[in-house]
Amino acid sequence: MPLLIEYLQLCWFTNNPKDLHPARAFFWKNVLFYVVSGIIVEANISDPADATLEVAMRTIVALMLLSTQILATKKAAMFYQLQTAVFMCENFIMTLGIGVEIFDAFAQGTAYEEYPIYLGAVLILWYLAIISYVFKRVFEFHYAKCIALAFVYFGLTYGGPFLLMEVI
């Protein structure tokens, strides 16, 4: 539980992923939670089979992109720290996203109908800020480069599988 709390503090920009040392089991539990929560969110938007395939592709893309960045910067020792930090923060944002989807279901036809769109936009901006922060702490790049990498990561991780599913 203390490790979970330390990783959640990354979402408030108060911890450094370099100082956290997760066990492999903790990392894989985060990946599993990412897949399950992603399927829940996507299954509310599309067919459950399509949702499962899209989330599986998104997970593979995320693991590959982060692994490539680790190898390119020669920081292989940071593999579990970076991967766990990113997946943990994504899980936190995804959990809040599930809450926004529930709110959206109840807000239909009310004066609050557009609020979930605004909340979703805030979550995406917060997500990009968190990923930029994690990249800054792990890779020690300039903030502009970290923000650009976060946008690329987001675009490839979420946009790539989405576009592929639209083509199929």
Side-chain angles (χ1 to χ4, degrees):
M1 188 62 124
L3 189 59
L4 175 68
I5 292 168
E6 289 177 1
Y7 270 101
L8 284 175
Q9 289 174 350
L10 289 170
C11 298
W12 285 271
F13 315 104
T14 59
N15 229 337
N16 189 341
K18 286 182 170 182
D19 299 334
L20 306 174
H21 302 283
R24 288 182 183 174
F26 185 74
F27 163 70
W28 287 110
K29 287 176 187 175
N30 274 294
V31 172
L32 180 63
F33 186 87
Y34 176 80
V35 170
V36 170
S37 62
I39 291 171
I40 290 169
V41 169
E42 292 296 327
N44 284 323
I45 299 168
S46 65
D47 177 77
D50 288 345
T52 303
L53 182 58
E54 185 174 337
V55 172
M57 287 189 295
R58 196 167 63 208
T59 305
I60 292 166
V61 169
L63 289 167
M64 286 175 39
L65 287 172
L66 293 171
S67 298
T68 302
Q69 186 63 34
I70 288 170
L71 291 173
T73 57
K74 297 179 174 73
K75 295 201 179 235
M78 299 290 299
F79 177 82
Y80 285 108
Q81 290 161 302
L82 174 68
Q83 298 272 10
T84 304
V86 170
F87 276 97
M88 187 62 165
C89 294
E90 287 196 42
N91 288 340
F92 177 73
I93 296 294
M94 189 69 69
T95 302
L96 293 176
I98 291 170
V100 169
E101 282 194 356
I102 292 168
F103 177 57
D104 183 43
F106 288 107
Q108 294 297 317
T110 69
Y112 306 105
E113 189 169 26
E114 293 183 14
Y115 285 23
I117 294 169
Y118 304 131
L119 291 172
V122 168
L123 287 179
I124 290 171
L125 291 174
W126 190 9
Y127 168 83
L128 291 168
I130 292 169
I131 299 301
S132 299
Y133 174 79
V134 170
F135 287 170
K136 172 70 176 157
R137 294 293 183 187
V138 172
F139 300 118
E140 300 170 0
F141 294 147
H142 188 271
Y143 273 116
K145 186 173 184 177
C146 293
I147 292 168
L149 282 173
F151 271 98
V152 169
Y153 174 79
F154 177 77
L156 292 175
T157 303
Y158 287 88
F162 173 76
L163 289 174
L164 185 62
M165 291 302 295
E166 292 300 314
V167 172
I168 295 177

